[in-house]
Amino acid sequence: MTAKKVVSVGGGPGGLFSAILLKKSDPSREVTVYERNAADDTFGFGVVFSQETLENIEAADRESLGRIAAEFRHWSAIDVGFLGTWERSDGHAFAALERKRLLSILGERAVDLGVDIRYSTEAPPLEQLRAEHDLVIAADGVNSRIRAELADEFGPSVDRRTAKYAWFATTRPFDCFTFQFVETEFGMFWAHIYPFDGERSTFIVETDEDTWLRAGLDRFAEVPRKPGENDEASMRFCEEVFADLLDGHDLIGNNSGWLSFGVVRNKRWAAGTVGLVGDAAHTAHFSIGSGTKLALEDAIGLAAAVDREPTVEAALKAYQEDRKPVVESLQRSAQTSLEWFEGARRYRDLAPEQFVFQLLTRSQRITYDNLKLRDADYVGRIDAWLAVHTRAQGFEVETGTPPMFHPYRLRGLELPNRIVVSPMAQYSATDGVPDDWHLVHLGGRAQGGAGLVMTEMICTSPDGRITPGCPGLWNDTQRDAWARIVNFVHTRTDAKIGAQVGHAGRKGSTKVMWEGIDEPLPEGNWEILAPSPIRYRPDSQVPREATEADLDQVVADHVAAARRADEAGFDLLELHFAHGYLVSSFLSPLSNKRTDSYGGSLANRARLGLRILDAVREVWPDDRPISIRISATDWVDGGFDGDDAIALTRMLAAHGADIIDVSTGQTSVEAKPKYGRLYQTPFADRIRQETGAPTITVGAVSSVEDANTIIASGRADLCAIARPHLVDPYWTLNAALDQDYRGHAIPKQYRSGLSARRREQHP
């Protein structure tokens, strides 16, 4: 048993519950808690618990849960008011109580166990604490003094966000989680509301920074001259904005004023015998109600590690290894939710049904399928709205059709569903000519039921290849080989097929993937082209800076490839302006250092891409769409970013692009992508909402739930799925079977694989 003398600096939920669990597991331990505030001080109003958190507390200390649960306010619904309309989704299971009562209950439980809690007492200096205790728990909150003192060891960062919020309560006793969005003369304000006892509810008001400034609320952001002065003025303003919802009830202040949320992260949670817990270690936006949950679960993890490991140092290491990945996953979801609210005004023009669905699924943890389990009636209303919306586009669709199986139209192209087989390089062509591998690869996935099958990047010239194994469209032999594949897709499947074309630029003349991706060829290199003579990697070939004549040839090569793609019968053409290839390298200021008309401003850096698009649009049939794949961010400070992607999309749409295929990164070896499930979808969502351009989302979209949620919410129009299609060519067909959707075509040769009942549906 480790840590005979333990001290917690901070008497919040994390510090108190850590003390409870450590004292409970070993009553001989000396456990002390220093809390600078009085026992009856409070900050914030209510705290919310999910069912999962309650189960974790019960497993750790049934007595604590019993005392807490006796005072819970329970509910299961979420109400959303959006510009005068209301919708309810049920089946969510929450419980809450006043934060002051939670701390009182935990404090009483700790004292009963023999914990020494010293309220209204500043902790001694850290040096003294470390000398006198085996374990120091830093539970001293978001502005942790201990974290600051040991910053070199913990590696903290605080991401200060742009939205503004004020934390109030109200005397109106709401019966469930409630969100209301109200339009004012200044812009949109919204409230996050939840009950915490029979008479009061937490009432957090939030808005984007521009609206906040237009409303003149910045004058209340400074420290008040008199206690509560700013609180009072802010409350009066918010009471007017939400007067209908408050229905005569008052707001209650806490002297918080207007704040900007800070996302706290630490590279390490342990420094010798000092461990971080709760807000000192991490924060997650209040829109997913996670602060208290994380603090209590930190305490559970820390206490378990201390009891399990032979030394305090080993325990803190194990605690970090166990908890940090879990917390980071939740922080990613919270960040997605936070950013959704920061950009809430971009959803202002959505239909109320879709707006509410966007809100409910904003963190990407709750999905269409999950909501269907929680509240089938609510999802039935979404299905009905979506069917009406699709019928308005001229399609016949039954109510209840899974969102991913709604048809879609771009110009004269009609797709039977929203699933795209994403371009995936095969590196298997000879002299640019695709062969039977490509026929089976693309033909098999077309048989598998995807609405659209995309080729890998087809290169526009021999020196535009990525590797010697990349296919091309610079001669008629290649065109005819592609025509054979296109013909198979058209005559043997219901799928459509698109050609992605592009020029590798400074990422060319490299080995095929399985020999070393992006590694330069050891011999047989060809000259590569770029906006500036800057290597992609330190060991890459130095590209030649493109001349005006070079760029004229690049444009001409794209036109020639587009003509051949038309002759081969492709249904859609996608221009590859992403991933650090030639046009992408012009777009990014990291790789484009030119001082002529192709460098400097975004308008100049986009010039080559727009020239190509204009020239290709001239020769590509008017009834067939053109897609543009872009990297919506370089993931590098000072590089191409989300704002640039919005501006570029507007340019592309004005020049005839029909849909934007939204990827990210792969433009710089300095990139630091924020990987995670659906990590690129918010970029597609933002582009779609802010520009009105249709989008394809790609990257870590892997499940039926993901696809249904993306389409129903309007985050993208099509879902491009890559890796899952490598291991399951019949991914879309299997999705139809799993959802018992009978409207999907099944190859007649394979119908014997169905049950007798299903065969009757597909005679």
Side-chain angles (χ1 to χ4, degrees), residues 75 168 185 273 476 597 653 723:
W75 71 90
F168 306 119
E185 62 183 299
T273 58
D476 292 349
S597 62
R723 288 179 178 86

Side-chain angles (χ1 to χ4, degrees), residues 444-472:
R445 281 143 190 85
Q447 286 177 323
L452 176 65
V453 176
M454 292 297 302
T455 70
E456 63 200 278
M457 187 171 84
I458 302 173
C459 302
T460 55
S461 61
D463 61 356
R465 291 174 296 166
I466 310 166
T467 76
C470 290

Side-chain angles (χ1 to χ4, degrees), residues 6 23 35 55 134 183 223 237 303 388 434 555 609 631 648 690:
V6 178
K23 187 68 173 177
E35 172 52 57
E55 291 170 0
D134 303 317
E183 192 69 78
V223 176
F237 177 89
V388 169
V555 174
S631 287
L648 175 63
E690 292 191 19

Side-chain angles (χ1 to χ4, degrees), residues 623-733:
D623 64 339
R624 294 188 224 167
I626 292 178
S627 170
I628 310 291
R629 175 167 279 201
I630 67 169
S631 287
T633 178
D634 287 335
W635 296 113
V636 179
D637 290 343
F640 189 95
D641 62 17
D643 291 340
D644 292 330
I646 296 295
L648 175 63
T649 295
R650 292 193 171 109
M651 296 181 209
L652 295 170
H655 285 254
D658 298 292
I659 192 166
I660 308 300
D661 188 355
V662 185
S663 185
T664 63
Q666 301 181 54
T667 60
S668 169
V669 295
E670 302 300 321
K672 295 180 180 178
K674 297 176 182 177
Y675 289 122
R677 178 171 153 269
L678 304 179
Y679 72 106
Q680 295 181 153
T681 296
F683 292 94
D685 186 15
R686 181 186 175 193
I687 288 170
R688 187 178 189 272
Q689 308 307 333
E690 292 191 19
T691 71
T695 59
I696 305 172
T697 187
V698 62
V701 181
S702 59
S703 73
V704 170
E705 292 185 71
D706 291 341
N708 280 331
T709 306
I710 288 165
I711 299 305
S713 65
R715 291 187 171 90
D717 300 274
L718 299 173
C719 294
I721 295 173
R723 288 179 178 86
H725 273 126
L726 290 177
V727 296
D728 182 6
Y730 296 88
W731 189 92
T732 309
L733 173 56

Side-chain angles (χ1 to χ4, degrees), residues 71-91:
E71 301 191 27
F72 271 151
R73 175 75 184 270
H74 293 272
W75 71 90
S76 63
I78 298 175
D79 283 348
V80 182
F82 175 59
L83 308 183
T85 67
W86 284 92
E87 179 61 271
R88 169 168 285 199
S89 169
D90 215 329

